[in-house]
Amino acid sequence: MLAFPSPTSRVGLITGGFLALCLLSPLTQAEGDNAMESAAEARVITLINPNSNDAATESMVELARLETQGVATVVGRSNRDAPPLLTTPQDMIDAVPGVVEIGVEAAEDERVAAIIVSAFSDPGLEELRAAVDTPVFGIGEEVFHEAARGDRAFGIVTVTPDEALIESFRQKAASLGYEHLYRGVRVTPGDPTELVQSPEALDAALAEAVQASIDEDGAQAVIMGGGPLSASALRLQPRFEVPLVVAVNAAARAAVATLQGE
């Protein structure tokens, strides 16, 4: 004769099973979180700052990490052979060897899955791509792609007044097929090296330039033209309805999309 558990026993079994599931679920979730963390720790994205400003490097790394959580760890490298701010075309040219050297060294590490060149003019981007097999992303190139998404008209705001550099922005827009959407550059007044030392002064100057790009140039998105301006863009975004496109974040998102598509 088959023996069935009593009602009291059945309640105990059900309760015990429920408790087991409750105990198991957090463990399973924790195991999943640990697996994601391990996967992220196993892959590295090297962010190269083509200038020598370590504070700017760390700031850009923190921005990139907002986009790469659970996918990869971001490690920053500064270019010791460059000035703390690149303001002229010659500065960009002079930064190229250091960018390539850092990138080639990073690519030798099998954990490095992608490299980001984190200056708006992308110094050394093409040279580094030619030198390594690791995917390389330039924050300038990627921010143009993101700003122009959906055929949006876009402008650029920067602290760098050099005319040749500003012309290079137009040339980049044209080379990427976005010249018909490009609405020009607004430059903040004053010495850019001094301006970037004060977050309050930088925010105020950039806010005026952004407003001019929207009101006078017809920009539907505004690119913040330079890696060191990224944190300021995040602070200013609540003041504006149009997107302030942050170059570092755009490049990090592109890198993540590539890694997830592998």
Side-chain angles (χ1 to χ4, degrees):
M1 181 175 178
L2 294 175
F4 294 95
S6 68
T8 302
S9 299
R10 286 199 297 269
V11 170
L13 287 171
I14 292 170
T15 303
F18 179 73
L19 289 173
L21 284 173
C22 289
L23 291 170
L24 181 60
S25 294
L27 289 174
T28 304
Q29 179 65 44
E31 289 172 357
D33 292 343
N34 290 337
M36 288 181 64
E37 290 176 4
S38 297
E41 290 172 359
R43 292 197 292 188
V44 172
I45 296 175
T46 297
L47 182 146
I48 303 172
N49 179 4
N51 71 46
S52 58
N53 187 329
D54 286 333
T57 302
E58 185 55 34
S59 175
M60 292 187 286
V61 165
E62 290 301 318
L63 288 170
R65 285 174 179 160
L66 296 175
E67 312 296 338
T68 63
Q69 292 180 5
V71 177
T73 299
V74 182
V75 175
R77 296 282 304 276
S78 302
N79 182 9
R80 298 297 177 201
D81 297 328
L85 187 66
L86 308 182
T87 60
T88 70
Q90 189 59 49
D91 286 342
M92 312 304 170
I93 293 170
D94 292 343
V96 170
V99 169
V100 174
E101 180 180 353
I102 293 169
V104 169
E105 180 183 335
E108 293 174 353
D109 186 339
E110 61 182 15
R111 298 173 303 161
V112 174
I115 299 170
I116 295 174
V117 176
S118 199
F120 192 76
S121 59
D122 294 335
L125 177 63
E126 296 304 326
E127 293 87 347
L128 183 53
R129 280 177 173 162
V132 301
D133 294 328
T134 306
V136 183
F137 302 86
I139 68 170
E141 183 176 276
E142 296 303 332
V143 80
F144 272 79
H145 290 323
E146 187 161 314
R149 187 169 297 148
D151 226 26
R152 288 187 297 206
F154 65 90
I156 299 174
V157 164
T158 187
V159 298
T160 306
D162 187 272
E163 292 184 5
L165 188 62
I166 292 171
E167 170 59 15
S168 75
F169 297 159
R170 185 198 65 77
Q171 293 174 1
K172 176 169 282 190
S175 69
L176 295 172
Y178 301 135
E179 190 168 20
H180 65 296
L181 302 173
Y182 179 61
R183 297 295 182 267
V185 179
R186 291 283 171 171
V187 182
T188 56
D191 185 318
T193 304
E194 293 181 5
L195 189 60
V196 298
Q197 302 303 316
S198 168
E200 294 80 10
L202 180 62
D203 286 1
L206 289 173
E208 288 188 16
V210 168
Q211 197 65 59
S213 182
I214 296 167
D215 294 343
E216 300 178 36
D217 304 334
Q220 297 170 310
V222 177
I223 293 172
M224 306 306 283
L229 310 186
S230 302
S232 186
L234 297 183
R235 293 192 296 267
L236 291 175
Q237 181 63 81
R239 303 188 196 180
F240 300 97
E241 292 184 3
V242 307
L244 306 183
V245 191
V246 179
V248 174
N249 297 64
R253 283 191 287 270
V256 166
T258 295
L259 296 185
Q260 291 180 328
E262 290 177 347

